[in-house]
Amino acid sequence: MAAATGAACSKGCSKRWREAVSGDAIVCATCPVADRAVCSALSPDDRGELARIGHHRRYARGETIVAAGDSATVCATLTRGAAKMSTIDRDGTERIVALVHPAGMLGQLFAPTATLHVTALTDSEACLFPASHVAALSDARPALARRLLDEVSRELDASRALIDLISKRQAKGRVAALILAFARAASPAPCHDADSFDLPLTRGEMAQLLGITIETVSRMLTALETAGLIARQGSHGIVIRDRAALDDLAAG
C-alpha cells in the first residue's frame, strides 16, 4: 500500500510542477507587488533574467498550489489573491498554520520537500521560478539573500502573531484581530489598511484558525456589526466603520 501511495504522490507532484512551469510569461512592469516581493531586491537586469525563466500561473479558489510531499523544485511569489498553509492529520482534520497575502512566498523556503499544503483561498495568481536558479542567484546576489532571510523572519513573526491571536484573546477580540489582519493584507500600500475588502476565509476556516466554533464566529461578526464597528456586504464583503474600536478589542 505504501508503494502505491508513493507512486500516486510522485505522479501528482510531477503533474503539478509540469503545469507550474507551463504558464504565461511574467511581465514585471505590470506586477502589482513589484516593489514588495523578494525580487524587488534585484537589479532590473537580474529581475529580467528571473522573469525569462519563470512563469505566471492562475489558481482557482480551492485549488491546491503545493501539496505536502511535493518536491520543492519551484519557488513562488503570490501576486494576487490569498492562500492558506495547513497541515492535515491522518483523520483528515485540517489545521491552518499560516495565511499568505500578495508579495508573500508560497511554500517553504529552503525545504527540500513540502511538509505543508498550500491552497488558494480566492482566485489567485503567482509567479513561479525554478528553485535551483533562485538559490544560485541568492548566492551571487547578497541583496536577494538578505531579502529572502527577511521573508523567512516575516513568516516566523506572522506565525507567532497567529499563536498570540489564538491564545490570549477572547472570541470577539480574536475575530476583530483577524479582520484587521485581512484589512492590512487587502491594502496595496503598506502605509494604510483597506477600509473594505472580501473575507478570504469561510466561516468554517475562520473558526478553524481561531480555535472557536463556526457559530461563535457568526455571533461575533453579528455583534461587531450591531455595535457599528463593521458592516457586512453580501456573503463575504466587510467594511470597517470604527477602526479604533476594533484595535481596542484586538489588543484586549
PDB file of all heavy atoms in Angstrom, residues 163-185:
ATOM      1  N   ILE A 163      -0.329  32.563  16.781  1.00  0.00           N
ATOM      2  CA  ILE A 163      -0.346  31.883  18.081  1.00  0.00           C
ATOM      3  C   ILE A 163      -0.847  32.829  19.157  1.00  0.00           C
ATOM      4  O   ILE A 163      -1.676  32.468  20.013  1.00  0.00           O
ATOM      5  CB  ILE A 163       1.057  31.354  18.432  1.00  0.00           C
ATOM      6  CG1 ILE A 163       1.471  30.253  17.451  1.00  0.00           C
ATOM      7  CG2 ILE A 163       1.099  30.833  19.865  1.00  0.00           C
ATOM      8  CD1 ILE A 163       2.913  29.803  17.598  1.00  0.00           C
ATOM      9  N   ASP A 164      -0.370  34.065  19.123  1.00  0.00           N
ATOM     10  CA  ASP A 164      -0.806  35.062  20.104  1.00  0.00           C
ATOM     11  C   ASP A 164      -2.296  35.343  19.958  1.00  0.00           C
ATOM     12  O   ASP A 164      -3.030  35.466  20.941  1.00  0.00           O
ATOM     13  CB  ASP A 164      -0.013  36.355  19.910  1.00  0.00           C
ATOM     14  CG  ASP A 164      -0.459  37.463  20.855  1.00  0.00           C
ATOM     15  OD1 ASP A 164      -0.248  37.310  22.074  1.00  0.00           O
ATOM     16  OD2 ASP A 164      -1.031  38.465  20.373  1.00  0.00           O
ATOM     17  N   LEU A 165      -2.748  35.423  18.713  1.00  0.00           N
ATOM     18  CA  LEU A 165      -4.152  35.704  18.432  1.00  0.00           C
ATOM     19  C   LEU A 165      -5.045  34.622  19.035  1.00  0.00           C
ATOM     20  O   LEU A 165      -6.098  34.904  19.619  1.00  0.00           O
ATOM     21  CB  LEU A 165      -4.353  35.802  16.927  1.00  0.00           C
ATOM     22  CG  LEU A 165      -5.706  36.234  16.368  1.00  0.00           C
ATOM     23  CD1 LEU A 165      -5.512  36.855  14.988  1.00  0.00           C
ATOM     24  CD2 LEU A 165      -6.656  35.053  16.247  1.00  0.00           C
ATOM     25  N   ILE A 166      -4.641  33.373  18.907  1.00  0.00           N
ATOM     26  CA  ILE A 166      -5.454  32.254  19.377  1.00  0.00           C
ATOM     27  C   ILE A 166      -5.398  32.106  20.897  1.00  0.00           C
ATOM     28  O   ILE A 166      -6.393  31.758  21.532  1.00  0.00           O
ATOM     29  CB  ILE A 166      -4.974  30.948  18.708  1.00  0.00           C
ATOM     30  CG1 ILE A 166      -5.245  31.000  17.195  1.00  0.00           C
ATOM     31  CG2 ILE A 166      -5.646  29.727  19.319  1.00  0.00           C
ATOM     32  CD1 ILE A 166      -4.573  29.889  16.426  1.00  0.00           C
ATOM     33  N   SER A 167      -4.239  32.399  21.497  1.00  0.00           N
ATOM     34  CA  SER A 167      -4.047  32.033  22.898  1.00  0.00           C
ATOM     35  C   SER A 167      -4.405  33.127  23.909  1.00  0.00           C
ATOM     36  O   SER A 167      -4.673  32.820  25.067  1.00  0.00           O
ATOM     37  CB  SER A 167      -2.583  31.622  23.129  1.00  0.00           C
ATOM     38  OG  SER A 167      -1.718  32.714  22.850  1.00  0.00           O
ATOM     39  N   LYS A 168      -4.449  34.386  23.501  1.00  0.00           N
ATOM     40  CA  LYS A 168      -4.556  35.447  24.505  1.00  0.00           C
ATOM     41  C   LYS A 168      -5.846  36.263  24.474  1.00  0.00           C
ATOM     42  O   LYS A 168      -6.075  37.065  25.362  1.00  0.00           O
ATOM     43  CB  LYS A 168      -3.374  36.411  24.357  1.00  0.00           C
ATOM     44  CG  LYS A 168      -2.033  35.794  24.717  1.00  0.00           C
ATOM     45  CD  LYS A 168      -0.930  36.833  24.704  1.00  0.00           C
ATOM     46  CE  LYS A 168       0.387  36.208  25.144  1.00  0.00           C
ATOM     47  NZ  LYS A 168       1.487  37.207  25.149  1.00  0.00           N
ATOM     48  N   ARG A 169      -6.661  36.103  23.446  1.00  0.00           N
ATOM     49  CA  ARG A 169      -7.821  36.965  23.310  1.00  0.00           C
ATOM     50  C   ARG A 169      -9.127  36.205  23.492  1.00  0.00           C
ATOM     51  O   ARG A 169      -9.220  35.023  23.219  1.00  0.00           O
ATOM     52  CB  ARG A 169      -7.824  37.653  21.942  1.00  0.00           C
ATOM     53  CG  ARG A 169      -6.633  38.585  21.725  1.00  0.00           C
ATOM     54  CD  ARG A 169      -6.791  39.349  20.423  1.00  0.00           C
ATOM     55  NE  ARG A 169      -5.668  40.247  20.205  1.00  0.00           N
ATOM     56  CZ  ARG A 169      -4.597  39.943  19.502  1.00  0.00           C
ATOM     57  NH1 ARG A 169      -4.514  38.756  18.943  1.00  0.00           N
ATOM     58  NH2 ARG A 169      -3.619  40.812  19.353  1.00  0.00           N
ATOM     59  N   GLN A 170     -10.148  36.955  23.925  1.00  0.00           N
ATOM     60  CA  GLN A 170     -11.497  36.424  23.930  1.00  0.00           C
ATOM     61  C   GLN A 170     -11.960  36.299  22.477  1.00  0.00           C
ATOM     62  O   GLN A 170     -11.357  36.867  21.570  1.00  0.00           O
ATOM     63  CB  GLN A 170     -12.422  37.347  24.722  1.00  0.00           C
ATOM     64  CG  GLN A 170     -12.070  37.455  26.202  1.00  0.00           C
ATOM     65  CD  GLN A 170     -12.147  36.108  26.907  1.00  0.00           C
ATOM     66  OE1 GLN A 170     -13.102  35.347  26.705  1.00  0.00           O
ATOM     67  NE2 GLN A 170     -11.143  35.799  27.717  1.00  0.00           N
ATOM     68  N   ALA A 171     -13.057  35.572  22.274  1.00  0.00           N
ATOM     69  CA  ALA A 171     -13.513  35.286  20.911  1.00  0.00           C
ATOM     70  C   ALA A 171     -13.723  36.556  20.090  1.00  0.00           C
ATOM     71  O   ALA A 171     -13.315  36.631  18.931  1.00  0.00           O
ATOM     72  CB  ALA A 171     -14.808  34.472  20.966  1.00  0.00           C
ATOM     73  N   LYS A 172     -14.353  37.571  20.675  1.00  0.00           N
ATOM     74  CA  LYS A 172     -14.613  38.795  19.918  1.00  0.00           C
ATOM     75  C   LYS A 172     -13.301  39.484  19.541  1.00  0.00           C
ATOM     76  O   LYS A 172     -13.156  40.012  18.442  1.00  0.00           O
ATOM     77  CB  LYS A 172     -15.491  39.756  20.724  1.00  0.00           C
ATOM     78  CG  LYS A 172     -15.982  40.955  19.909  1.00  0.00           C
ATOM     79  CD  LYS A 172     -16.857  41.891  20.732  1.00  0.00           C
ATOM     80  CE  LYS A 172     -18.179  41.262  21.064  1.00  0.00           C
ATOM     81  NZ  LYS A 172     -19.101  42.219  21.735  1.00  0.00           N
ATOM     82  N   GLY A 173     -12.326  39.448  20.458  1.00  0.00           N
ATOM     83  CA  GLY A 173     -11.026  40.039  20.158  1.00  0.00           C
ATOM     84  C   GLY A 173     -10.284  39.292  19.065  1.00  0.00           C
ATOM     85  O   GLY A 173      -9.600  39.884  18.238  1.00  0.00           O
ATOM     86  N   ARG A 174     -10.423  37.965  19.051  1.00  0.00           N
ATOM     87  CA  ARG A 174      -9.783  37.158  18.010  1.00  0.00           C
ATOM     88  C   ARG A 174     -10.354  37.512  16.636  1.00  0.00           C
ATOM     89  O   ARG A 174      -9.604  37.692  15.665  1.00  0.00           O
ATOM     90  CB  ARG A 174      -9.993  35.672  18.279  1.00  0.00           C
ATOM     91  CG  ARG A 174      -9.366  35.158  19.546  1.00  0.00           C
ATOM     92  CD  ARG A 174      -9.564  33.652  19.670  1.00  0.00           C
ATOM     93  NE  ARG A 174      -9.240  33.192  21.014  1.00  0.00           N
ATOM     94  CZ  ARG A 174      -9.250  31.916  21.381  1.00  0.00           C
ATOM     95  NH1 ARG A 174      -9.588  30.986  20.504  1.00  0.00           N
ATOM     96  NH2 ARG A 174      -8.955  31.561  22.612  1.00  0.00           N
ATOM     97  N   VAL A 175     -11.676  37.611  16.564  1.00  0.00           N
ATOM     98  CA  VAL A 175     -12.318  37.935  15.292  1.00  0.00           C
ATOM     99  C   VAL A 175     -11.935  39.349  14.861  1.00  0.00           C
ATOM    100  O   VAL A 175     -11.640  39.597  13.685  1.00  0.00           O
ATOM    101  CB  VAL A 175     -13.848  37.778  15.398  1.00  0.00           C
ATOM    102  CG1 VAL A 175     -14.525  38.270  14.122  1.00  0.00           C
ATOM    103  CG2 VAL A 175     -14.214  36.321  15.659  1.00  0.00           C
ATOM    104  N   ALA A 176     -11.902  40.289  15.807  1.00  0.00           N
ATOM    105  CA  ALA A 176     -11.514  41.667  15.489  1.00  0.00           C
ATOM    106  C   ALA A 176     -10.084  41.714  14.956  1.00  0.00           C
ATOM    107  O   ALA A 176      -9.792  42.405  13.971  1.00  0.00           O
ATOM    108  CB  ALA A 176     -11.643  42.548  16.731  1.00  0.00           C
ATOM    109  N   ALA A 177      -9.180  40.977  15.604  1.00  0.00           N
ATOM    110  CA  ALA A 177      -7.785  40.963  15.171  1.00  0.00           C
ATOM    111  C   ALA A 177      -7.641  40.366  13.774  1.00  0.00           C
ATOM    112  O   ALA A 177      -6.835  40.834  12.957  1.00  0.00           O
ATOM    113  CB  ALA A 177      -6.938  40.177  16.163  1.00  0.00           C
ATOM    114  N   LEU A 178      -8.434  39.317  13.499  1.00  0.00           N
ATOM    115  CA  LEU A 178      -8.353  38.691  12.182  1.00  0.00           C
ATOM    116  C   LEU A 178      -8.874  39.635  11.102  1.00  0.00           C
ATOM    117  O   LEU A 178      -8.302  39.722  10.008  1.00  0.00           O
ATOM    118  CB  LEU A 178      -9.145  37.381  12.185  1.00  0.00           C
ATOM    119  CG  LEU A 178      -8.952  36.471  10.969  1.00  0.00           C
ATOM    120  CD1 LEU A 178      -7.485  36.083  10.815  1.00  0.00           C
ATOM    121  CD2 LEU A 178      -9.819  35.222  11.085  1.00  0.00           C
ATOM    122  N   ILE A 179      -9.940  40.361  11.391  1.00  0.00           N
ATOM    123  CA  ILE A 179     -10.471  41.333  10.432  1.00  0.00           C
ATOM    124  C   ILE A 179      -9.426  42.402  10.127  1.00  0.00           C
ATOM    125  O   ILE A 179      -9.215  42.787   8.974  1.00  0.00           O
ATOM    126  CB  ILE A 179     -11.767  41.967  10.982  1.00  0.00           C
ATOM    127  CG1 ILE A 179     -12.905  40.950  10.942  1.00  0.00           C
ATOM    128  CG2 ILE A 179     -12.140  43.218  10.181  1.00  0.00           C
ATOM    129  CD1 ILE A 179     -14.172  41.423  11.606  1.00  0.00           C
ATOM    130  N   LEU A 180      -8.741  42.887  11.158  1.00  0.00           N
ATOM    131  CA  LEU A 180      -7.701  43.902  10.952  1.00  0.00           C
ATOM    132  C   LEU A 180      -6.537  43.334  10.139  1.00  0.00           C
ATOM    133  O   LEU A 180      -5.953  44.043   9.305  1.00  0.00           O
ATOM    134  CB  LEU A 180      -7.199  44.419  12.301  1.00  0.00           C
ATOM    135  CG  LEU A 180      -8.197  45.284  13.078  1.00  0.00           C
ATOM    136  CD1 LEU A 180      -7.673  45.566  14.487  1.00  0.00           C
ATOM    137  CD2 LEU A 180      -8.460  46.588  12.336  1.00  0.00           C
ATOM    138  N   ALA A 181      -6.203  42.071  10.374  1.00  0.00           N
ATOM    139  CA  ALA A 181      -5.132  41.438   9.594  1.00  0.00           C
ATOM    140  C   ALA A 181      -5.522  41.352   8.119  1.00  0.00           C
ATOM    141  O   ALA A 181      -4.702  41.608   7.226  1.00  0.00           O
ATOM    142  CB  ALA A 181      -4.832  40.052  10.143  1.00  0.00           C
ATOM    143  N   PHE A 182      -6.788  41.021   7.843  1.00  0.00           N
ATOM    144  CA  PHE A 182      -7.253  40.974   6.467  1.00  0.00           C
ATOM    145  C   PHE A 182      -7.248  42.369   5.839  1.00  0.00           C
ATOM    146  O   PHE A 182      -6.953  42.523   4.656  1.00  0.00           O
ATOM    147  CB  PHE A 182      -8.668  40.391   6.406  1.00  0.00           C
ATOM    148  CG  PHE A 182      -8.740  38.925   6.706  1.00  0.00           C
ATOM    149  CD1 PHE A 182      -9.858  38.385   7.337  1.00  0.00           C
ATOM    150  CD2 PHE A 182      -7.698  38.067   6.380  1.00  0.00           C
ATOM    151  CE1 PHE A 182      -9.935  37.032   7.614  1.00  0.00           C
ATOM    152  CE2 PHE A 182      -7.764  36.707   6.658  1.00  0.00           C
ATOM    153  CZ  PHE A 182      -8.888  36.199   7.275  1.00  0.00           C
ATOM    154  N   ALA A 183      -7.585  43.380   6.634  1.00  0.00           N
ATOM    155  CA  ALA A 183      -7.590  44.755   6.123  1.00  0.00           C
ATOM    156  C   ALA A 183      -6.189  45.194   5.730  1.00  0.00           C
ATOM    157  O   ALA A 183      -5.995  45.862   4.704  1.00  0.00           O
ATOM    158  CB  ALA A 183      -8.167  45.697   7.179  1.00  0.00           C
ATOM    159  N   ARG A 184      -5.195  44.807   6.533  1.00  0.00           N
ATOM    160  CA  ARG A 184      -3.811  45.141   6.189  1.00  0.00           C
ATOM    161  C   ARG A 184      -3.386  44.429   4.914  1.00  0.00           C
ATOM    162  O   ARG A 184      -2.739  45.003   4.040  1.00  0.00           O
ATOM    163  CB  ARG A 184      -2.875  44.762   7.345  1.00  0.00           C
ATOM    164  CG  ARG A 184      -2.942  45.687   8.537  1.00  0.00           C
ATOM    165  CD  ARG A 184      -1.827  45.411   9.533  1.00  0.00           C
ATOM    166  NE  ARG A 184      -1.967  44.106  10.164  1.00  0.00           N
ATOM    167  CZ  ARG A 184      -2.696  43.885  11.257  1.00  0.00           C
ATOM    168  NH1 ARG A 184      -3.358  44.875  11.822  1.00  0.00           N
ATOM    169  NH2 ARG A 184      -2.757  42.687  11.799  1.00  0.00           N
ATOM    170  N   ALA A 185      -3.750  43.162   4.818  1.00  0.00           N
ATOM    171  CA  ALA A 185      -3.351  42.370   3.650  1.00  0.00           C
ATOM    172  C   ALA A 185      -4.046  42.847   2.381  1.00  0.00           C
ATOM    173  O   ALA A 185      -3.484  42.743   1.283  1.00  0.00           O
ATOM    174  CB  ALA A 185      -3.662  40.903   3.887  1.00  0.00           C
TER     175      ALA A 185
END
